[in-house]
Amino acid sequence: MAFSLVRLACVVSILPAALAQITVRSQAEDVSASVNVDALDFSDAAGVSTVISKGINYGCKCYPGESCWPSASKWKSLNATVDGRLQVHIPPGAACHNTFTGPLGTVNTYDAAKCAEVTQNWESESWTVSQPAAALWTYFTNDTCRPTQNPADSCTLGYYGVYVIMATKPQHVKAGIDFARRNNLRLIVRNTGHDFIGRSVGYGSLVINTHSFQKIEWIDSYRGPGSYKGSAVTIGAGVQGLTILSQGHARNPPLVVVTGECPTVGIAGGFIQGGGHGPWTTLKGLSADNVLAFEAITASGQYVTANERQNPDLFWALKGGGPASFAVILSVTMKTFPDVPSAGATLYINTTHTTDSNVWWNGTETFHKWSNHFVDNGLYVYFELLPFTFRARPFVGIGKTKAELQTVVQPFLDELTAKGVPFDFTIKDFPTFYDLYVDLFEAEAAGSSALTGGWMFNHQDVATNNDGIIEAFKTVLAPRPDAFGFMIGHLFNPGYGAPASNSATHPAWRNATDFIISALVVPVGSSLAQKVDLQNLLTNTMDEALRKASTSGCTYVNEADPYQKDWQSHFWGSEYPKLRALRYKWDPLGVLYAISTPGTEKWEVIEDGTRLQTGLSPAQGPGQEHGFASWSPQSTAWLKHTLKVHVEKRILLANFLITLSFSFTQVPIFYVFHLMECDVFYSNHPPYEGLGDRCSRNEIAAGTATQFSILGMSTTFCGTINLFVAGWMAKRFGPRAALMVQTSVPAIRVATQVLGVVAGGQAGIIIFQCTQLITVIGGPVGYILVANVIAGEVVEPLRRTAVFGMLQGCIMLGQGIGYLSGGMIGDAWGIRRPFEVAFYSFLVSTLYVRVSMPYIAADSLSSGSKPHSKGLAEFFSPLRVLVPQRVMLGSGVVQKHYGVLFLCAGVFLGVLATGYAPLLIQMYATAVFEFQQGDNGWLMSGFAFMRAVFLIFLFPRIINTGRRWYLARGQQETSPGAETQSRCHLAMNPEELEAPIGSFAEEEPVASAEVKEDEGTAFDLFFLRISLVVDGILTMCADFATEGWHIYFDVFSLKQSRRPQRSDAGREHRQAVDPGLIRLCFCGFGPDWQAPSDLLRQCALSWVTLRTRETKTGTEKTAKTRTIRMLSEAK
Ligand SMILES: Cc1cc2nc3c(=O)[nH]c(=O)nc-3n(C[C@H](O)[C@H](O)[C@H](O)COP(=O)(O)OP(=O)(O)OC[C@H]3O[C@@H](n4cnc5c(N)ncnc54)[C@H](O)[C@@H]3O)c2cc1C
């Protein structure tokens, strides 16, 4: 078997990756981008480790200790990108322990003074909020490092993140998102840490802390899109409720915003993305209803504005569609309202009033019976319910006087009195709502370990089933003899002040009366079995009772049980399918994750609550458990996820389909020209009167050859431009969109060619030649480039050569089938049909690309254009690779390097030497062995099939085996001492892990995974060299053929890496072609369409491989094989 096919595969394999690497190396500040795994998909990402747990095949995020976990140098690079604001996360309780043991090692942490501070503040909300990553409710952190009197107690990381970026600038947030995406890390956004359900903590994650975004800008008159023109405020992502209310109060006149009742909950984080309710909700709707705009960074790292005009779908989804699901919010702009005099009241019924449970429950039932009346009069009421403790504090009457509030509440008080229920009631006037807020709302505690559930009761529930609701309350407070729960109630109705929802929140909120939070304490130190038991109690006893008491309520994503069945409909109702589609649109790669938020059905945290994984086996995937069959799929992305075919295979199939579409017309096109030339000939010659084919004349053959060569030249010219256009489109609009253009525009071309076939004669020839111009936008070169770019992004570096080889194999397969079937279709159904088939085939391919290709944002491409490349420079940016590079070798010596240029020249000569061999062999076989059209058709199809089989099945194995062999050989040559020296130092001892609590991690020695991206790839270059030689020898062998089968043998073994030539157009035509024309044809078709990209890719591969080897064998061995840096970086 010849090796030139492999050469092509090698060549095809490298461009996106290697160009990216080269580009990266010329950018000192962007080293992390060399990890070329931007486009990790939930199920098929490179770098994903797979795990089989309970019979389900899972693809995992990367965790410390796994080979895909970023190396120390990458973390260091991230730290530089975020201005040194990356910290190793050590839980605050560690100060009370002798040591903290985390995934990076063990470190001494005891600090008496700090421990005293931690102990004192453990239950302080504001102190906890100020910690880098601590959670207010500790249950979901696994509570493995609480303050203690015994420093010998163990302290571990629990379910906290490993690193935290204390972001102060949007760039820091973007860097964190990009880093997590590229390295397939679990990403957590943490604002205040209030999340009841642990959504702001995540085992082994990278955390972005947004709490420093404290900017507040008051706007007198909003001028953004939409009808609202009143006052507004832009609130930074980290601002808390009380802060904004205090600042608003200080304004003249005082202003308010719809915040939560809790002073320390953030506004722009989880609160607004869940919907957000507070004391103003009855009058002004949910907080999300009052949003005018967001500034955010998407999961693909794009800065976006979302408002009614810009990204309106994202705008809608961020308003209540679920926390950490669609983008990371930088700021929110909200309506403000004038603050007004208000009245507040409190009411208590507890053991100081009665110890008779009937009396106490009677009072509670009476209160709840009046709840519709309260909200229908514009009130908001916050109340708590524990055994024998009923606290309604406060009743809030915004804009009401004490007398007005008293009037609303009086019937209820009268009924209590009539029923003999004792109580304490106070009522008071306040000059503003803010004064009421500060006086009557209380700070809440942090540091508790509890599970949270909840349900909303609407007007009908209260009106028709208040007794049932009270029975459910009893179940919540005493679900089992050995357990007790408690409840927090909120009486509000967003529909009172905002009857029509403009947000993604559940429509049922518009008829709300009472939203209940149910809670169950989980003792610290509970075993896993106890936790499971308590979760079961909350889900299936306490909350089930609440749900059963309701006719058509809903619940609140921020304050509810995430493990409940049908959470999708309970959180969002009819809005859910749209939200899920938007989730796939805005975060198709699963960079963000928060439990029970749109589109996360397939995700699961397994292995005792540690690793976040997604089910890969569709039949068994956890998503099935949620009973989702009833949701109608609304997005093509859903289809992609349902297909569940590995992304590599999807790309291979795309390459096959598109090539097939292009190949249908390749054989018929020659005959079309032949027929049209024949028409032209007889239009000015007397009619043919002889026997046989009237078109079988040398003049016609010569004319056909002329047209064909013109076509060839224009194809080469337009195809070359198409290459740049396609590359530019991929960088501008993302590879998937670019690929769709490359497949849909050719459909227009073949449709136009059908017109040409119908027109025939001179008109047909002109139409055909003109259609070549369309190739500039979408043609047979661009799609290969774009498909390779996609593959380069999603395939892990080590597999790229093999996958690119298989891609090329699929192209060959498409060609083999397309050439054969195109000719056969033409023979059987007429010359028009292959063009029509090609038209439909292009349409199908476009649809397939849309459905099956992963979405990769343009600016997240690792080979994306640099900010300074604009206009023509951006267009021709791929050529930059030819510019001599200044590189620093491992030895520290800086050199100007012309290797890429030389290699390009070498490859060009190689292609020149052997690239046209298949065509010439056809000519030779036609002339010497009298091969007919059919013979040549089989010859070329067989040639394509052989190459396809070789590339798809054998080539990957050759590469793998060869690399192993190369590595083994290299290791034998390397002395053990040198090897030890070149290894990255792993911090295993406590004293080696230097980062004290809260310190920056600039010098943090971490356990780094070995860099394996280059391992053995030097073999690829070796193979490439051999293939050129063998290719030449086999080409020469054709010269010795004495029988027809020799030709078959030679061509089949000559797995020439170039695109095969078209089938011969018939012996007579061949013979008619003048050698000069043959040369022209060769110029058109010989150096095939892939040549420019091949050359670049080839050069890039070789350059990288050469440099890598050079570095390895340099006199000064360094820690990594990849120490090539640009001079700028060295400086
Ligand atoms: C004591 C207490 C009182 C509460 N009172 C109310 C109340 O009155 N009304 C009400 O509606 N809710 C209330 N909640 C619930 C609260 O709204 C949620 O816990 C909410 O998620 C908190 O958001 P956060 O950003 O402050 O908290 P965090 O815990 O920091 O974040 C919560 C979620 O939002 C995500 N997130 C945070 N910042 C961003 C960002 N910038 N971009 C994208 N995602 C982000 C996080 O990843 C996480 O998933 C209360 C909670 C507690 C603990």
Side-chain angles (χ1 to χ4, degrees), residues 125 136-137 189-196 199-200 210 237 260-262 265-266 268-271 273 276-277 323-324 327-329 444 556 558-559 594:
E125 270 187 313
L136 254 70
W137 287 58
V189 187
R190 195 270 191 187
N191 176 17
T192 66
H194 268 70
D195 202 280
F196 276 117
R199 291 189 178 109
S200 45
T210 57
E261 58 76 23
C262 169
V265 167
F271 174 77
Q273 292 171 88
H277 60 80
V328 178
I329 296 172
E444 293 171 54
Y556 179 34
N558 283 344
E559 298 176 323

Side-chain angles (χ1 to χ4, degrees), residues 305-335:
T305 297
N307 56 32
E308 276 188 26
R309 195 180 305 136
Q310 292 166 274
N311 303 303
D313 58 351
L314 179 64
F315 178 53
W316 177 80
L318 285 172
K319 294 188 296 178
S325 298
F326 302 95
V328 178
I329 296 172
L330 297 173
S331 71
V332 60
T333 302
M334 295 177 73
K335 294 178 189 171

Side-chain angles (χ1 to χ4, degrees), residues 346-364:
T346 61
L347 186 139
Y348 305 107
I349 309 172
N350 52 41
T351 46
T352 62
H353 306 101
T354 179
T355 50
D356 183 334
S357 99
N358 289 332
V359 172
W360 186 82
W361 274 114
N362 207 354
T364 303

Side-chain angles (χ1 to χ4, degrees), residues 618 636-646 650 848 851-852:
T636 50
W638 175 87
L639 187 56
K640 186 194 89 178
H641 279 254
T642 306
L643 285 173
K644 276 289 163 221
V645 177
H646 194 284
R650 296 202 303 259
Y848 174 77
V851 169
S852 69

